Amino acid sequence: MTSETNVLRKIYLDDYSPILGEAEVDELRALAHPLHGHTVQMVNSTALGGGVAEILTRLVPILQELGLSVRWDIITGGNEFFAITKAFHNALHGGPYPLPPESFDAFLATNEQNLTRLRMDCEFTVIHDPQPVALIKGRENNSGHWVWRCHIDLSRPNLTVWEFLKPWVSKYDGAIFSSPEFTKSLSIPEYLFFPCIDPLSEKNRELEPEEMRAVLERYRINPRRNILTQISRFDRLKDPVGVVRAYRIVKRYFDCQLVLAGGKADDDPEGETVLQEVIEAAQNDPDIHILNLPPWSPTEINALQQASTLVIQKSLREGFGLTVAEALWKKKPVVASAVGGIPLQVIHKHTGLLAHSVEGAAYQIRFLLSNPALAAKLGQQGHEHVREHFLITSNARRYLTLFLLFLRAGK
Amino acid sequence: MNNAQCPFQFLTASYLVRILDVKASTLADLADGLEKCSDGSIFFHTFQSLGRHHFLTEGFSNDFAQWILTACNRAELAEQLASLDIRDYTAIPELRADLRRIVKDYCEQHSAFATQQAFEEFPFCEAVEVTTPLGIQAWDLRQFSAGLGRLSHASLHYHFIASRLRLHFSTNDFSQWLENCLGLKSLASRINQIDIYTNTLDSLRDLLMNLIEPELHT
């Protein structure tokens, strides 16, 4: 078992100037100036796969380009450790915790083993998610500034796991959450950092028309007719059957096609069942395209979003729901449920429309199809909203601000 | 062209958002929260909210009004709160008192709505401000105009909107400097009249430049 330091491809901040404007990029540099040479350590449990690794792959090089000395370390552990942390993850989302109490000792032992291999000597240390949370034991003489970045929804945790983790979290100088809804009451300051998308990534870059056409042809989607799209895995909480019902209501008034695109999560045994339920609900309607995409299909998702007339996210429960930010970035009008992090992205009647039922979603879709000028305006304002708040550069700015705050406050 | 006695220092402000342990799920809770929350929270949900949503120029005023409209479906109360103009306030306690009075009066007059559950909770947050010099300064109007052209949204918000609370006066950093350091009283006044509710920060910059441009040739 060896802990690793992840070495990343360089990113040039100037590449973001055409998107953000030079003034915004200059401002990032000004904020970073007092932090030149200061050391930062990011620690998580995986280099590849998952949202955290995806963000760090871009964030770390951006902070390095801004002059900070940033290291990204990955903890390692055996199968037992990751089975425990997977059980933690499910339990923190409110599920049961089926493992015995000794599992907590095994968890701490793996954190201890990582401490013997990792150097924890930076001025700013950011520990991501519960897996490495006990590394704070390696903080010497209360030195440096330590922050816990929690990417998961802690609002309804299984108390067995939370009561075990809470004393560790309380040792940090602050905790960062993705939404005010995801927090637990803590004795340390809690900060709000939105998750983010990278406008230069394969999933969000502007595609050439022929790239889009190729994807639509592959899935036999007609670009000249209205396309309503929901991108999400086949999970009951994303209510794909509800989307089919809303589409049927809309179809009475408008010619349209429905695209339900996503994959089945490997760790979700219900995925196949839900997919079958959706196929059944579609009743062989040739205008309903159910696309079971491979896990990593960024170009396909990008093309489907860009080609859409309107994007739907009719979830019953949601984490942050970054597919909404992806659609808004592509200037698409969005109709979405007011759950999880969605209302932070869809400001009703300003950057999209919120709905609370199948019938409500259908009504909002019809309203937007009847008012294309308003739909375009919501899409444009949604794009601006994402530019201000949900891009990787905004995330970098928040980290810079946090480090500056710590630096100026001293100890 | 006149030289100023002291230069205009362009700064920027970056805000860290702190989540507070105060939430509202009814209008009555909101009235309570408005009393209990920090000054930084009132600032975040009003002055700072306007900056965060500067690209919305129709019908968005502050977070409280937006929540009351979308989560409580009380359009008349939302309208009352939205019509509070932050330019009228030079201190947070005055703004807090008015927000609270409006919500409290409404709750007293419509007791059934006061305890009705909202679709989603209102989480009180507060902004922690970190200011940084941009390394740009102006000694005359030409340099000032050039500096404006290089400002980010955050910097424009800091100097033009948030400055009222710092100055405790119904003006902004730009007008203050133009009047006091360059003697351009009329220009300062016209700049202070720009409506920040119906402009984006980009269109605000364009208006500033348009007002300054003729002065560069006199």
Side-chain angles (χ1 to χ4, degrees), chain A residues 178-189:
Chain A
S178 299
S179 163
E181 283 198 357
F182 297 173
T183 58
K184 288 303 290 176
S185 188
L186 292 169
S187 57
I188 56 174

PDB file of all heavy atoms in Angstrom, chain A residues 178-189:
ATOM      1  N   SER A 178     -21.632  21.785  -0.172  1.00  0.00           N
ATOM      2  CA  SER A 178     -22.053  22.202  -1.523  1.00  0.00           C
ATOM      3  C   SER A 178     -23.362  22.956  -1.532  1.00  0.00           C
ATOM      4  O   SER A 178     -23.697  23.600  -2.525  1.00  0.00           O
ATOM      5  CB  SER A 178     -22.201  20.970  -2.424  1.00  0.00           C
ATOM      6  OG  SER A 178     -20.985  20.301  -2.532  1.00  0.00           O
ATOM      7  N   SER A 179     -24.128  22.833  -0.462  1.00  0.00           N
ATOM      8  CA  SER A 179     -25.427  23.510  -0.400  1.00  0.00           C
ATOM      9  C   SER A 179     -25.774  23.711   1.071  1.00  0.00           C
ATOM     10  O   SER A 179     -25.438  22.847   1.898  1.00  0.00           O
ATOM     11  CB  SER A 179     -26.488  22.647  -1.083  1.00  0.00           C
ATOM     12  OG  SER A 179     -27.783  23.063  -0.706  1.00  0.00           O
ATOM     13  N   PRO A 180     -26.455  24.789   1.414  1.00  0.00           N
ATOM     14  CA  PRO A 180     -26.867  24.958   2.812  1.00  0.00           C
ATOM     15  C   PRO A 180     -27.734  23.798   3.285  1.00  0.00           C
ATOM     16  O   PRO A 180     -27.762  23.469   4.456  1.00  0.00           O
ATOM     17  CB  PRO A 180     -27.677  26.253   2.798  1.00  0.00           C
ATOM     18  CG  PRO A 180     -27.244  26.976   1.588  1.00  0.00           C
ATOM     19  CD  PRO A 180     -26.864  25.933   0.579  1.00  0.00           C
ATOM     20  N   GLU A 181     -28.441  23.142   2.340  1.00  0.00           N
ATOM     21  CA  GLU A 181     -29.304  22.015   2.701  1.00  0.00           C
ATOM     22  C   GLU A 181     -28.536  20.779   3.132  1.00  0.00           C
ATOM     23  O   GLU A 181     -29.100  19.867   3.703  1.00  0.00           O
ATOM     24  CB  GLU A 181     -30.157  21.613   1.487  1.00  0.00           C
ATOM     25  CG  GLU A 181     -31.305  22.503   1.211  1.00  0.00           C
ATOM     26  CD  GLU A 181     -32.329  21.821   0.309  1.00  0.00           C
ATOM     27  OE1 GLU A 181     -32.088  20.694  -0.125  1.00  0.00           O
ATOM     28  OE2 GLU A 181     -33.346  22.456   0.055  1.00  0.00           O
ATOM     29  N   PHE A 182     -27.260  20.704   2.771  1.00  0.00           N
ATOM     30  CA  PHE A 182     -26.493  19.482   3.003  1.00  0.00           C
ATOM     31  C   PHE A 182     -25.750  19.485   4.339  1.00  0.00           C
ATOM     32  O   PHE A 182     -24.988  18.573   4.622  1.00  0.00           O
ATOM     33  CB  PHE A 182     -25.456  19.273   1.887  1.00  0.00           C
ATOM     34  CG  PHE A 182     -26.039  19.080   0.516  1.00  0.00           C
ATOM     35  CD1 PHE A 182     -25.212  19.024  -0.604  1.00  0.00           C
ATOM     36  CD2 PHE A 182     -27.403  18.946   0.330  1.00  0.00           C
ATOM     37  CE1 PHE A 182     -25.745  18.849  -1.875  1.00  0.00           C
ATOM     38  CE2 PHE A 182     -27.948  18.776  -0.934  1.00  0.00           C
ATOM     39  CZ  PHE A 182     -27.111  18.726  -2.039  1.00  0.00           C
ATOM     40  N   THR A 183     -25.917  20.530   5.149  1.00  0.00           N
ATOM     41  CA  THR A 183     -25.048  20.700   6.311  1.00  0.00           C
ATOM     42  C   THR A 183     -25.605  20.007   7.558  1.00  0.00           C
ATOM     43  O   THR A 183     -26.776  19.659   7.639  1.00  0.00           O
ATOM     44  CB  THR A 183     -24.898  22.193   6.654  1.00  0.00           C
ATOM     45  OG1 THR A 183     -26.198  22.721   6.890  1.00  0.00           O
ATOM     46  CG2 THR A 183     -24.239  22.936   5.541  1.00  0.00           C
ATOM     47  N   LYS A 184     -24.711  19.838   8.525  1.00  0.00           N
ATOM     48  CA  LYS A 184     -25.083  19.466   9.886  1.00  0.00           C
ATOM     49  C   LYS A 184     -24.607  20.600  10.781  1.00  0.00           C
ATOM     50  O   LYS A 184     -23.612  21.269  10.474  1.00  0.00           O
ATOM     51  CB  LYS A 184     -24.346  18.191  10.331  1.00  0.00           C
ATOM     52  CG  LYS A 184     -24.807  16.928   9.703  1.00  0.00           C
ATOM     53  CD  LYS A 184     -26.275  16.636   9.905  1.00  0.00           C
ATOM     54  CE  LYS A 184     -26.631  16.283  11.333  1.00  0.00           C
ATOM     55  NZ  LYS A 184     -28.110  16.102  11.467  1.00  0.00           N
ATOM     56  N   SER A 185     -25.292  20.775  11.888  1.00  0.00           N
ATOM     57  CA  SER A 185     -24.865  21.817  12.814  1.00  0.00           C
ATOM     58  C   SER A 185     -23.529  21.407  13.438  1.00  0.00           C
ATOM     59  O   SER A 185     -23.423  20.354  14.050  1.00  0.00           O
ATOM     60  CB  SER A 185     -25.940  21.962  13.888  1.00  0.00           C
ATOM     61  OG  SER A 185     -25.639  23.067  14.681  1.00  0.00           O
ATOM     62  N   LEU A 186     -22.518  22.240  13.250  1.00  0.00           N
ATOM     63  CA  LEU A 186     -21.169  21.927  13.737  1.00  0.00           C
ATOM     64  C   LEU A 186     -20.648  23.063  14.601  1.00  0.00           C
ATOM     65  O   LEU A 186     -21.141  24.193  14.523  1.00  0.00           O
ATOM     66  CB  LEU A 186     -20.219  21.734  12.543  1.00  0.00           C
ATOM     67  CG  LEU A 186     -20.442  20.507  11.656  1.00  0.00           C
ATOM     68  CD1 LEU A 186     -19.612  20.610  10.393  1.00  0.00           C
ATOM     69  CD2 LEU A 186     -20.077  19.241  12.416  1.00  0.00           C
ATOM     70  N   SER A 187     -19.606  22.756  15.371  1.00  0.00           N
ATOM     71  CA  SER A 187     -19.029  23.793  16.224  1.00  0.00           C
ATOM     72  C   SER A 187     -17.990  24.629  15.474  1.00  0.00           C
ATOM     73  O   SER A 187     -17.432  25.567  16.012  1.00  0.00           O
ATOM     74  CB  SER A 187     -18.372  23.131  17.438  1.00  0.00           C
ATOM     75  OG  SER A 187     -17.410  22.195  16.976  1.00  0.00           O
ATOM     76  N   ILE A 188     -17.703  24.261  14.241  1.00  0.00           N
ATOM     77  CA  ILE A 188     -16.707  24.995  13.440  1.00  0.00           C
ATOM     78  C   ILE A 188     -17.422  25.760  12.325  1.00  0.00           C
ATOM     79  O   ILE A 188     -18.557  25.415  11.974  1.00  0.00           O
ATOM     80  CB  ILE A 188     -15.663  24.029  12.834  1.00  0.00           C
ATOM     81  CG1 ILE A 188     -16.370  22.935  12.009  1.00  0.00           C
ATOM     82  CG2 ILE A 188     -14.804  23.402  13.930  1.00  0.00           C
ATOM     83  CD1 ILE A 188     -15.424  22.016  11.254  1.00  0.00           C
ATOM     84  N   PRO A 189     -16.774  26.793  11.748  1.00  0.00           N
ATOM     85  CA  PRO A 189     -17.443  27.533  10.666  1.00  0.00           C
ATOM     86  C   PRO A 189     -17.741  26.620   9.478  1.00  0.00           C
ATOM     87  O   PRO A 189     -16.949  25.750   9.131  1.00  0.00           O
ATOM     88  CB  PRO A 189     -16.406  28.597  10.273  1.00  0.00           C
ATOM     89  CG  PRO A 189     -15.510  28.722  11.441  1.00  0.00           C
ATOM     90  CD  PRO A 189     -15.472  27.377  12.097  1.00  0.00           C
TER      91      PRO A 189
END
